[in-house]
Every structure is written in C-alpha cells, then in structure tokens.
C-alpha cells in the first residue's frame, strides 16, 4: 500500500529550545495517528537531530535537510549521510530548490547524494520543481523529467523503493501562491508515469509523491483529494504545531485512512 506522508521542513528556523518544544508538541499529538497510514517526518536543522526524541511514536521520524555528496574527510562545514544516520535520522531531503540555488547543486551532484544516502541506510526525499519561467515557457514537464532522470532513475528497483518524490514548483515555495490542485495532480500523474516507464506500474503505484509549496490548512484538502498526491512537504506551516497537525488530519480524512 502506498504510504501517505506529511513532512515538515523547518529550514533555518528554531533555536534548540524552540525546536524541542515544537517537536515535543508534535510528538505528543502525533501519537493519536499511530494506527493510521500516515508517516510524519520532521526535518529540523542538523543541530537538532541528535536531541529530538521520537519516543514511542511508530509513525514519526526525523530527516536531515541536506547531506554531503562526499563520504567523509576534509569538508569543513558539511555533514555526511553517515553522520546523519548515526544520530537516528531515517531520511534526508535531497535537491530542495533552496539548496540547488544557494549551493549550486546540479543533478549530477544530487545523484551522488542520493547514492551515498541510500548506501548509508537513509531514505531519500527527492525534490524536483520548475521555475516560474519554465512554466511560462511550457517547459515544466521537461525540466522535471530531467531532474528525476538524472538523479534517480539509475537506482535499482529495491533502492528506488527508498525514495519519496516531492514535487515543489519553485514559484510556489514560501510565496503564498500554491499550485492549483489540477496543476499539481497533472505533474504528479506525469511523475508516476515516468516511474512506471522506467520501472513498472507496481513500483509507480507504490511510490509516494508529495506536494510542497505554500501548502497550508486552507488548501491541503483540495490538494490531497487528488489521487496522485500522497501528502505534503510543508515549510512555513510546519512551524506551527496546530497547523501541522490540522494538515495531517486533513491528509488522513481525504484519503479515508483506516
Ligand atoms: P513552504 O515551503 O511550505 O513554506 O512554501 C515548502 C518547502 O520549501 O519545502
């Protein structure tokens, strides 16, 4: 069965005491989702990962927001997949448009990150998304196809099973402008078709494809109702516990998860 996922990307927000408080509130309230088909993933700053305690929650885990493409060594300021794994995180976000932009990541660097993350035992939340200009020029599908082909489609079937794909149109991130449910569904269906062509329909149907970009309590319902949208990667709204839990409840309700 396809997993429904709600991931919170805290970006460069929260001090350790703010983050711990926020995480503990989420952990406490997420407990009631324990028997549902929903996974909550929190991606705080690196520094917080080691001190966050997931307690007994079955469906709550931690992710890093990035990792190095290198194994270890003289890379001041970078954090390896192995270090992330060693603090108990289960996954890592790779290819967020902010790291693509600010760190000059190319699809080939991202491929290396994907490989090393999986080798070290992490799951990958791989982000792809087009710019406003790409969409205006009707190149959005082409751009997405290149992003997933160059960084993901070399993976074996077993390793591809460790990947969650996040569709995040750049123009929707932190802007308050969300992709319409039609735009998002269309792209998610396209991604699923690509996966099906490269692997097979069973794998395509089992892959969780989540949406990110100004997803909030107001628009989550319409987005999650779409059949190929399996949850969200939430930035701003994940910093407010009530909003994040409300979005999680919406995901459960729209998918009628038992
Ligand atoms: P946003 O961020 O929800 O604040 O738009 C989403 C993301 O960048 O993952």
């Amino acid at each position: 069965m396809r997993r429904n996922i709600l991931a919170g990307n805290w970006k460069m927000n929260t001090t350790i005491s703010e983050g711990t408080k926020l995480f503990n509130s989420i952990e406490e309230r997420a407990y009631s989702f324990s028997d549902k088909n929903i996974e909550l993933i929190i991606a705080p700053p690196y520094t917080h990962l080691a001190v966050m305690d997931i307690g007994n929650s079955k469906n709550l885990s931690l992710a890093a927001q990035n990792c190095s493409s290198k194994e270890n060594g003289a890379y001041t300021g970078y954090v390896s997949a192995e270090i992330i794994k060693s603090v108990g995180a289960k996954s890592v976000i790779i290819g967020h448009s902010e790291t693509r932009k600010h760190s000059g990541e190319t699809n080939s660097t991202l491929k290396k990150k994907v490989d090393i993350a999986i080798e070290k035992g992490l799951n990958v939340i791989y982000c792809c998304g087009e710019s406003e200009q790409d969409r205006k020029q009707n190149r959005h599908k082409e751009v997405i196809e290149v992003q997933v082909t160059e960084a993901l489609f070399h993976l074996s079937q077993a390793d591809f099973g460790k990947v969650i794909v996040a569709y995040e149109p750049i123009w929707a991130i932190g802007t308050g402008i969300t992709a319409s449910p039609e735009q998002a569904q269309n792209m998610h269906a396209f991604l699923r078709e690509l996966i099906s062509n490269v692997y097979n329909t069973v794998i395509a149907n089992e892959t969780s494809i989540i949406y990110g970009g100004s997803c909030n309590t107001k628009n989550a319902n319409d987005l999650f109702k779409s059949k190929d949208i399996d949850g969200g990667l939430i930035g701003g709204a994940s910093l407010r516990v009530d909003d994040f839990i409300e979005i999680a409840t919406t995901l459960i309700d729209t998918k009628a998860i038992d």
Side-chain angles (χ1 to χ4, degrees):
M1 187 169 43
R2 197 143 89 212
R3 295 169 304 153
N4 295 294
I5 314 264
L6 193 70
N9 175 11
W10 291 3
K11 309 193 179 184
M12 198 170 69
N13 293 299
T14 72
T15 60
I16 197 79
S17 61
E18 291 163 350
T20 308
K21 200 165 150 229
L22 176 59
F23 186 80
N24 289 344
S25 314
I26 293 170
E27 200 267 328
E28 215 169 89
R29 294 178 61 182
Y31 194 71
S32 63
F33 302 145
S34 300
D35 58 341
K36 312 276 185 199
N37 173 8
I38 184 170
E39 278 182 37
L40 300 180
I41 303 174
I42 302 296
Y46 285 132
T47 44
H48 299 20
L49 287 170
V51 297
M52 309 244 143
D53 179 10
I54 58 160
N56 293 324
S57 302
K58 272 201 306 187
N59 41 6
L60 176 66
S61 66
L62 290 164
Q65 296 174 17
N66 194 3
C67 69
S68 171
S69 60
K70 307 282 194 229
E71 179 138 11
N72 54 39
Y75 298 100
T76 304
Y78 291 81
V79 178
S80 71
E82 189 170 28
I83 295 171
I84 293 164
K85 176 76 180 171
S86 76
V87 294
K90 291 251 162 51
S91 33
V92 55
I93 298 175
I94 291 179
H96 191 282
S97 61
E98 286 155 14
T99 59
R100 285 181 192 257
K101 180 175 166 200
H102 301 302
S103 309
E105 292 172 334
T106 60
N107 293 328
S108 89
T109 326
L110 297 174
K111 176 177 187 255
K112 289 189 194 137
K113 292 190 178 196
V114 167
D115 286 343
I116 198 145
I118 291 179
E119 187 195 317
K120 299 297 172 189
L122 292 167
N123 295 325
V124 167
I125 302 171
Y126 180 76
C127 301
C128 55
E130 82 284 1
S131 68
E132 191 176 7
Q133 199 184 8
D134 294 330
R135 190 163 271 273
K136 277 192 183 137
Q137 294 173 348
N138 204 26
R139 295 183 59 236
H140 44 292
K141 288 195 169 160
E142 196 185 309
V143 168
I144 298 297
E145 183 168 356
V146 171
Q147 289 176 347
V148 289
T149 303
E150 293 187 354
L152 292 182
F153 285 165
H154 63 288
L155 292 172
S156 66
Q157 289 193 6
D159 284 347
F160 192 78
K162 296 165 191 156
V163 175
I164 296 165
V165 180
Y167 169 56
E168 296 211 310
I170 300 169
W171 47 272
I173 296 177
T175 57
I177 303 164
T178 319
S180 68
E182 294 72 32
Q183 286 172 322
Q185 164 57 30
N186 197 271
M187 194 60 99
H188 283 230
F190 175 65
L191 278 161
R192 210 175 295 287
E193 190 187 315
L194 291 175
I195 297 165
S196 175
N197 293 342
V198 174
Y199 296 95
N200 57 51
T201 354
V202 176
I203 291 187
N205 284 332
E206 278 173 1
T207 304
S208 299
I209 307 178
I210 60 178
Y211 169 81
S214 298
C215 180
N216 57 37
T217 53
K218 304 238 160 16
N219 54 37
N221 185 57
D222 286 340
L223 286 162
F224 297 163
K225 270 197 303 208
S226 308
K227 75 175 173 58
D228 288 298
I229 302 183
D230 308 310
L233 178 52
I234 316 296
S238 73
L239 294 167
R240 298 182 293 273
V241 62
D242 287 345
D243 287 13
F244 191 66
I245 295 297
E246 190 178 328
I247 297 171
T249 309
T250 303
L251 180 58
I252 291 169
D253 293 347
T254 48
K255 303 294 181 194
I257 307 164
D258 295 325

